[in-house]
Amino acid sequence: MKNCLNDAIHRFELRSLTLILLRTEHASVQSEISKLRRAPAEHIYVKSKSECLPGTRDKIQKSLLEHLKEAKDRFVWLRGSPGMGKTAISMSVASTLMEKGLLAASFFWDKNQAGTGLDSIELFPSTLAC
């Protein structure tokens, strides 16, 4: 009985110490991340583009929203010629996900906002980390 109690106490102490170490490490990482330069890259900061007009591109938006419901499908890459509506579709999908409380993050480049970090890939890694 005494051995069982001692083992339980030892496991509790070990787990408590591990939890303290994890919290300390987490705080350290958060502190370092907070020092990184970050671009205001969420879809709400894009000034030069807008969402899709009501009733337009509904099929692709629905398809993307269905795709993103799956935990394994966390990213979407839209490609196409300029002016095809990639940004509008992305902004519409991001807005829909935000309204539903499902948007984890969004990152939009905006070449029309020079000097903000949105016009180049320079701040992408640090913004993503934040």
Side-chain angles (χ1 to χ4, degrees):
M1 180 73 160
K2 186 176 179 180
N3 285 340
C4 286
L5 193 53
N6 284 337
D7 286 346
I9 290 170
H10 178 69
R11 284 193 308 274
F12 176 77
E13 289 172 342
L14 185 61
R15 288 181 180 153
S16 296
L17 182 58
T18 302
L19 184 58
I20 290 168
L21 290 171
L22 285 172
R23 286 182 178 163
T24 303
E25 183 63 23
H26 180 263
S28 174
V29 168
Q30 288 301 110
S31 174
E32 291 301 314
I33 287 176
S34 71
K35 296 174 188 174
L36 296 174
R37 282 188 53 220
R38 177 180 186 277
E42 292 86 0
H43 70 285
I44 56 174
Y45 294 111
V46 177
K47 305 287 187 227
S48 63
K49 303 284 182 166
S50 60
E51 296 179 17
C52 295
L53 296 172
T56 62
R57 302 181 183 106
D58 289 338
K59 189 175 178 180
I60 185 70
Q61 288 181 65
K62 184 178 179 182
S63 173
L64 290 171
L65 290 167
E66 284 298 315
H67 173 79
L68 291 168
K69 282 183 181 178
E70 298 292 322
K72 65 180 179 57
D73 299 328
R74 296 180 182 176
F75 301 95
V76 174
W77 183 293
L78 294 181
R79 64 184 185 97
S81 301
M84 298 301 290
K86 298 177 299 294
T87 301
I89 292 166
S90 299
M91 289 182 64
S92 296
V93 169
S95 291
T96 299
L97 292 172
M98 189 169 83
E99 287 169 10
K100 294 181 178 185
L102 300 173
L103 183 65
S106 61
F107 190 100
F108 284 78
W109 278 279
D110 188 350
K111 64 183 177 212
N112 298 313
Q113 292 193 47
T116 63
L118 300 177
D119 57 336
S120 74
I121 196 167
E122 179 184 345
L123 294 180
F124 178 71
S126 57
T127 301
L128 191 59
C130 292

